[in-house]
Amino acid sequence: MRVHLARFDGGNRPVRKGVAGHRLDLLDTDLTELDGIPITVPARTWLDLAAILGLEDLVVAADFFICSQSRSFGPRKPALCSMADLQQQVERGSGARGIRNAKTALGLARVGADSAPETRLRLALGRLRLPEPVLSYVVMDETGWELAWPDMAFPGYKVAVNYDGRHHLELRQRESDIRRDESIAAIGWTSVTITASQVRTWGFDGCAQRVLDALVRCGWRAER
């Protein structure tokens, strides 16, 4: 793995083994410090990644930077930067390497994706031209009691989608997931759970077909 090191004072770009050297034109607002070392702020770092990452990976990075969660359980998760911060970098970066990539990725980024697989699944749903899923949605019963926080939801069709990573294999978590799915099924919701094993077998596009099937069963019809 190479370390990316940049000069921003007009000097020559760093050249040494294991280092990818760059020269950057930076504003003071593009910089912060970590343990006394000057580094670029998250939004500027994301813009620089646009020159070296493919589109999907860049969307994953954007979702990671802007993800913010505030739930009734667990710790609050603040965003590293805002969507507006990324937009500002794109607007200032006219002519920069990868700027077209950044503009396209910004249009696909959404607040609320907790992990890279969730973002990749969401993008796969988009390739099937499915409705836009709602992130950070809370499924509640008629009394307002919170039943579930699905990774993605289609409230109009009562379809909840979850990506279950490795920790969902633990017995306690599996029991919790079963209770979650049963509780929302009782009020008419359909749950679709995508696992890491399924992704390895069918890919994200193949797994997205399961969401399509659930939406069709629940009344969604593609526009002709």
Side-chain angles (χ1 to χ4, degrees):
M1 183 179 66
R2 293 190 299 171
V3 174
H4 287 261
L5 192 61
R7 292 287 298 269
F8 57 92
D9 57 1
N12 295 327
R13 65 182 180 85
V15 178
R16 65 190 67 175
K17 185 177 180 180
V19 169
H22 308 273
R23 285 187 300 176
L24 300 176
D25 293 324
L26 300 174
L27 301 176
D28 289 343
T29 53
D30 290 332
L31 292 170
T32 186
E33 285 192 357
L34 178 65
D35 296 332
I37 300 173
I39 60 173
T40 50
V41 297
R44 175 62 202 223
T45 301
W46 177 81
L47 181 64
D48 293 332
L49 288 173
I52 59 177
L53 294 182
L55 176 60
E56 186 165 304
D57 287 338
L58 192 60
V59 178
V60 168
D63 279 6
F64 173 77
F65 283 137
I66 64 179
C67 182
S68 175
Q69 298 283 13
S70 181
R71 297 171 172 169
S72 59
F73 63 92
R76 180 178 178 272
K77 181 180 181 180
L80 295 175
C81 65
S82 68
M83 183 78 82
D85 292 332
L86 299 185
Q87 181 66 48
Q88 186 179 56
Q89 288 289 340
V90 168
E91 291 172 353
R92 289 207 317 244
S94 178
R97 289 182 58 216
I99 192 64
R100 289 185 180 180
N101 198 28
K103 288 180 179 179
T104 303
L106 187 62
L108 294 170
R110 298 291 185 273
V111 175
D114 277 329
S115 67
E118 290 177 30
T119 296
R120 296 187 192 281
L121 179 59
R122 179 175 60 79
L123 294 177
L125 299 180
R127 288 191 288 271
L128 287 179
R129 301 184 182 277
L130 299 184
E132 177 87 10
V134 179
L135 309 185
S136 301
Y137 185 82
V138 188
V139 180
M140 296 184 287
D141 65 16
E142 60 184 10
T143 70
W145 183 263
E146 296 179 3
L147 299 177
W149 288 74
D151 296 330
M152 286 169 271
F154 300 87
Y157 303 97
K158 290 190 173 182
V159 173
V161 180
N162 286 288
Y163 173 82
D164 284 1
R166 183 177 300 173
H167 77 281
H168 287 269
L169 297 176
E170 298 171 2
L171 180 59
R172 180 177 298 180
Q173 185 62 50
R174 286 174 59 192
E175 291 175 346
S176 175
D177 292 343
I178 291 171
R179 290 194 300 271
R180 173 201 65 196
D181 293 345
E182 289 179 345
S183 68
I184 66 174
I187 61 170
W189 278 72
T190 296
S191 293
V192 180
T193 299
I194 306 298
T195 67
S197 176
Q198 291 169 350
V199 170
R200 287 193 295 270
T201 301
W202 301 312
F204 285 102
D205 288 290
C207 291
Q209 291 287 338
R210 294 189 56 219
V211 181
L212 168 62
D213 292 343
L215 284 170
V216 169
R217 289 196 306 271
C218 293
W220 177 75
R221 295 294 182 270
E223 294 181 3
R224 296 183 179 276

